[in-house]
Amino acid sequence: MILPRLARVVLTAALVGTLSSAVPATAAESGAHGAVPVVFDGDMDFDDAATLAYLCQAEKQHRIDLRAVTVTNNGSGTPGRALTHVRTELERCGLSGIPVADGSPTGVNPQPAEGRAWTERVLTGALGDGGRPDRPSVLPAWQLLAGSVLTAPRPVVVLATGPLTNVAKALDVPGVAARISRLSVMGGAFGVPGNIYGPDAAKFDGSQEVNMWLDPASAARVFAKLPGRVDIAPLDATNDVPVTQSFVDKLGTGRTPEARLVHAILTQPDAASGIAAGGLYWWDTLAASVVFDRVNPVSQRKERVAVRQDGAAAGRTVITPDGTPQRVGHHADRAQYEAGYFAMLTGG
């Protein structure tokens, strides 16, 4: 066992050293104000972008220390373009020094092409970065995530709003799991139907939420490695917080760059059509509210959770005695959520 142990030590040292040289000094030195260190990993759908705007305001208010933003490329965002959108948004918010990276191979189940095309139209239209060339990240996402956790001045909160591929791979690095104080995840469906779609959906029983379905193996590994430290915001809770036109109009009264950005996203033609049809929800932003709002808008219970791996139920999240203990959201207070999100986004 000496060689494997030595290899793990060398890998950890290499990660820390690589990260230290790759992160700008301003970002590496952040956290002096004592705010909780945070890493955000998502797939850059419309609601990931809305979540990033929320986190940018939280960073500006010194409520969090946003260490890095990583993108999983097996979700709703188009590989390459998703990272470009992250860079554009951070620049719009005045936080271009925050390290970013993308990565992850195709998951167990592929993201439907129509979902990616919809996301790309909405974000390119809102951000106006269609002519901006894509630029590869210095580090792969899992490595930036792991290194950001290992070099943070105190234990880190990780917010994950896409497939858990990057998080699972980062947790393979020695010491990372011990340095994560809390992981908030948007994913799963327990007492409500799933929301998978696309040409492969007919092969499954419809019980799966998309993020868990895209990479069920990684989800199971993450839950097993962080027992008792995961907050799950499943469809059971997010179904209570639809995106409504009245709230979009309210966001339009905000004067911060972040509020204007989210309003621009949700007034794109494709997004507006989705709102009118009742098909958009505050999926990812609710997961952020669970850990960063002053009052948690989600009712949670401690449950033992597992992710099915095989057959028509693959990707289904279940409550079972054989699962790992986590905090599962069952309902959300819409008025409380909207008040908290608006207050954060507008600097209130």
Side-chain angles (χ1 to χ4, degrees):
M1 297 302 291
I2 293 176
L3 286 178
R5 183 177 301 168
L6 177 60
R8 291 196 297 270
V9 171
V10 170
L11 175 59
T12 303
L15 278 174
V16 174
T18 301
L19 183 82
S20 298
S21 61
V23 175
T26 52
E29 292 166 1
S30 66
H33 45 64
V36 59
V38 174
V39 175
F40 176 40
D41 180 75
D43 60 356
M44 210 51 183
D45 201 343
F46 86 94
D47 48 340
D48 300 83
T51 302
L52 181 55
Y54 171 102
L55 296 175
C56 285
Q57 254 302 312
E59 165 76 15
K60 291 179 178 180
Q61 296 174 32
H62 303 304
R63 293 179 59 179
I64 68 170
D65 166 23
L66 187 57
R67 308 286 297 178
V69 178
T70 55
V71 180
T72 175
N73 280 337
N74 55 342
S76 295
T78 300
R81 293 296 301 154
L83 185 62
T84 296
H85 294 323
V86 168
R87 289 184 171 124
T88 301
E89 184 169 349
L90 287 172
E91 289 175 5
R92 290 275 199 92
C93 297
L95 296 173
S96 58
I98 291 175
V100 300
D102 64 349
S104 71
T106 301
V108 175
N109 296 301
Q111 172 70 35
E114 59 266 37
R116 282 186 166 169
W118 184 94
T119 297
E120 182 57 28
R121 288 195 302 271
V122 169
L123 293 187
T124 297
L127 295 169
D129 59 358
R132 180 173 184 170
D134 299 334
R135 178 164 50 90
S137 56
V138 175
L139 303 175
W142 70 269
Q143 189 171 332
L144 177 60
L145 199 163
S148 298
V149 169
L150 291 172
T151 59
R154 58 188 64 83
V156 175
V157 171
V158 176
L159 174 62
T161 57
L164 292 174
T165 313
N166 287 335
V167 178
K169 192 166 184 180
L171 285 170
D172 288 338
V173 177
V176 170
R179 296 280 297 165
I180 294 176
S181 62
R182 194 171 183 183
L183 169 67
S184 185
V185 170
M186 190 282 125
F190 294 89
V192 299
N195 64 348
I196 61 172
Y197 64 100
D200 291 329
K203 303 174 185 177
F204 299 88
D205 63 11
S207 64
Q208 299 86 348
E209 180 275 329
V210 170
N211 286 342
M212 298 291 104
W213 173 74
L214 289 170
D215 192 351
S218 288
R221 283 167 55 204
V222 168
F223 293 158
K225 289 187 176 184
L226 296 173
R229 283 180 278 165
V230 183
D231 292 276
I232 303 173
L235 297 182
D236 308 62
T238 61
N239 284 352
D240 292 334
V241 287
V243 180
T244 64
Q245 190 58 51
S246 60
F247 189 48
V248 172
D249 293 342
K250 182 176 180 180
L251 291 173
T253 67
R255 294 294 178 262
T256 63
E258 294 77 16
R260 291 195 294 267
L261 190 149
V262 175
H263 185 260
I265 290 170
L266 293 171
T267 52
Q268 292 300 304
D270 285 284
S273 296
I275 294 168
L280 296 189
Y281 295 81
W282 294 106
W283 292 292
D284 298 345
T285 54
L286 187 67
S289 295
V290 166
V291 287
F292 301 122
D293 273 12
R294 298 189 188 282
V295 179
N296 183 358
V298 176
S299 299
Q300 297 175 299
R301 290 202 298 263
K302 292 181 180 180
E303 309 277 11
R304 287 188 170 271
V305 177
V307 184
R308 296 287 184 242
Q309 300 296 310
D310 303 306
R316 180 196 299 177
T317 47
V318 294
I319 295 170
T320 170
D322 298 331
T324 56
Q326 310 295 359
R327 291 179 292 271
V328 177
H330 289 271
H331 296 287
D333 185 315
R334 177 176 147 190
Q336 187 172 297
Y337 160 76
E338 290 183 349
Y341 183 72
F342 184 81
M344 181 73 85
L345 203 66
T346 58

